[in-house]
Amino acid sequence: MLDRVTSMQVFVRVAALGSFSAAARALNLSQTMVTKHVAALEDRLGVKLLHRSTRKLVLTEGGRDYLSACERILAEIEEAEASASLDRIEPRGTLRLNVPLTFGFRHIAPALPEFNRLHPAVSFDLGLADRYVDLIEEGWDLAIRIGRLKDSSLVARRLAPCRTVVCAAPSYLKQHGTPGKLDDLARHNCLGYTLPSAIGANRWTFGQDGEIVVPVQGNLRANNGDALLAAAVAGQGLIYQPTFIVGDCLRDGRLVRVLGDHSTYQPGIHAVLPSGRQAPAKVRAFIAFLAQRFAPEPAWDRGL
């Protein structure tokens, strides 16, 4: 079966040049193939498109109507292809970006104005959620994920390290003492993060590969790091959180790091996108922008 779009292109060229042979030369096709394309359209439509004579070709009434439709359709196809090609070259259009809540609020949203100054043709649809999202099913162009990646169907680029620390308010440590070894955690109020993580509500992992698992318990569990941070600053207990959440409080003394001699869980911060064809320019530009913004050391780790 001949390709319908190609047949339309052939028909438009025949009508414009008034000759099968001229159209064949212009399209670098044989005259027989040009004839087959037009005949295929006529068979599909069930109407005659051209009156043929030894001297010239004349469009039928149906041929004139179909020619107008073909010209409009082919122009729209050309425009769509040009637009798609431009998307690969020039950052533009809406970028649907999904980011963990706290990280997005603290470190992605404040970066968007600078990116838009560089690329004013890009707009954002920003989703802030700590749940795992399916990029393809939910239509996200890009996601930022924190942790060790397992989904091999995604393309990932590491943007920055994610240091984690155990810390507490000076008031809590003054009242309950400072843990010096991992076993001491059993005697402390450990505020737990409930979303799936190596740093969970009932266990904290230590060691370079998370090989040391320590059971913990406490009187507060939450699915958001900022909520745990607020409780820890108020003196409620110990927290085990990334420095992008607790960094400011460590620098100004509202929190104090403990168990600093023990290696903590160190997940990475990654940009992930669906695999397949080359990503649009807006996605590539934003990933490069973040990688440069977070290098060589992210702002939240400076001075710690």
Side-chain angles (χ1 to χ4, degrees):
M1 182 182 293
L2 297 175
D3 176 75
R4 194 184 309 184
V5 173
T6 303
S7 296
M8 288 180 175
Q9 293 170 329
V10 169
F11 171 62
V12 169
R13 190 60 65 92
V14 169
L17 298 177
S19 163
F20 281 85
S21 58
R25 288 191 297 272
L27 295 168
N28 198 27
L29 296 172
S30 68
Q31 186 169 334
T32 300
M33 184 56 68
V34 168
T35 303
K36 284 183 177 179
H37 275 290
V38 175
L41 288 176
E42 291 178 329
D43 289 344
R44 179 187 295 276
L45 298 170
V47 298
K48 204 76 172 168
L49 298 175
L50 296 160
H51 288 305
R52 303 166 178 81
S53 72
T54 55
R55 298 181 58 189
K56 63 179 181 177
L57 297 175
V58 178
L59 288 167
T60 65
E61 183 178 352
R64 287 193 296 273
D65 291 341
Y66 189 63
L67 176 63
S68 296
C70 286
E71 289 172 337
R72 184 182 70 253
I73 291 167
L74 293 174
E76 289 175 354
I77 291 173
E78 231 177 89
E79 183 180 347
E81 290 179 343
S83 177
S85 296
L86 189 59
D87 282 347
R88 293 197 300 270
I89 300 168
E90 177 186 330
R92 64 177 197 149
T94 300
L95 198 165
R96 299 200 70 234
L97 172 65
N98 188 274
V99 190
L101 178 61
T102 296
F103 187 77
F105 180 77
R106 289 171 177 260
H107 302 292
I108 297 298
L112 300 186
E114 181 183 346
F115 181 82
N116 280 132
R117 283 192 289 273
L118 297 172
H119 303 288
V122 177
S123 60
F124 285 88
D125 181 353
L126 180 63
L128 299 173
D130 287 332
R131 68 177 180 86
Y132 180 92
V133 299
D134 187 312
L135 272 68
I136 297 174
E137 186 175 316
E138 299 182 35
W140 299 103
D141 297 310
L142 181 67
I144 306 300
R145 288 190 178 159
I146 301 169
R148 293 176 182 170
L149 302 179
K150 298 178 182 178
D151 191 343
S152 61
S153 68
L154 299 175
V155 176
R157 175 171 175 181
R158 185 180 174 91
L159 298 174
C162 180
R163 294 174 55 200
T164 57
V165 297
V166 180
C167 52
S171 61
Y172 175 87
L173 298 176
K174 182 178 180 180
Q175 182 177 355
H176 299 280
T178 300
K181 54 184 186 297
L182 298 182
D183 289 345
D184 293 341
L185 291 175
R187 298 189 293 275
H188 281 271
N189 193 36
C190 298
L191 313 183
Y193 183 64
T194 57
L195 291 180
S197 170
I199 309 171
N202 300 311
R203 66 173 201 163
W204 290 353
T205 62
F206 297 84
Q208 188 171 359
D209 298 314
E211 67 274 12
I212 304 171
V213 179
V214 180
V216 295
Q217 60 182 352
N219 62 8
L220 173 64
R221 297 153 55 98
N223 65 355
N224 177 263
D226 275 323
L228 297 174
L229 173 66
V233 169
Q236 187 167 348
L238 297 169
I239 56 172
Y240 189 175
Q241 288 290 305
T243 52
F244 70 75
I245 293 179
V246 300
D248 288 341
C249 292
L250 290 173
R251 275 184 284 268
D252 64 21
R254 285 178 289 167
L255 292 177
V256 176
R257 182 180 181 183
V258 300
L259 299 172
D261 293 335
H262 296 273
S263 177
T264 55
Y265 178 63
Q266 303 291 323
I269 299 172
H270 299 84
V272 297
L273 60 153
S275 62
R277 295 182 179 178
Q278 184 182 27
K282 62 188 177 185
V283 172
R284 301 197 309 273
F286 191 65
I287 292 174
F289 168 78
L290 290 182
Q292 183 177 19
R293 184 180 179 89
F294 296 154
E297 180 184 42
W300 57 83
D301 276 344
R302 293 170 195 161
L304 295 182

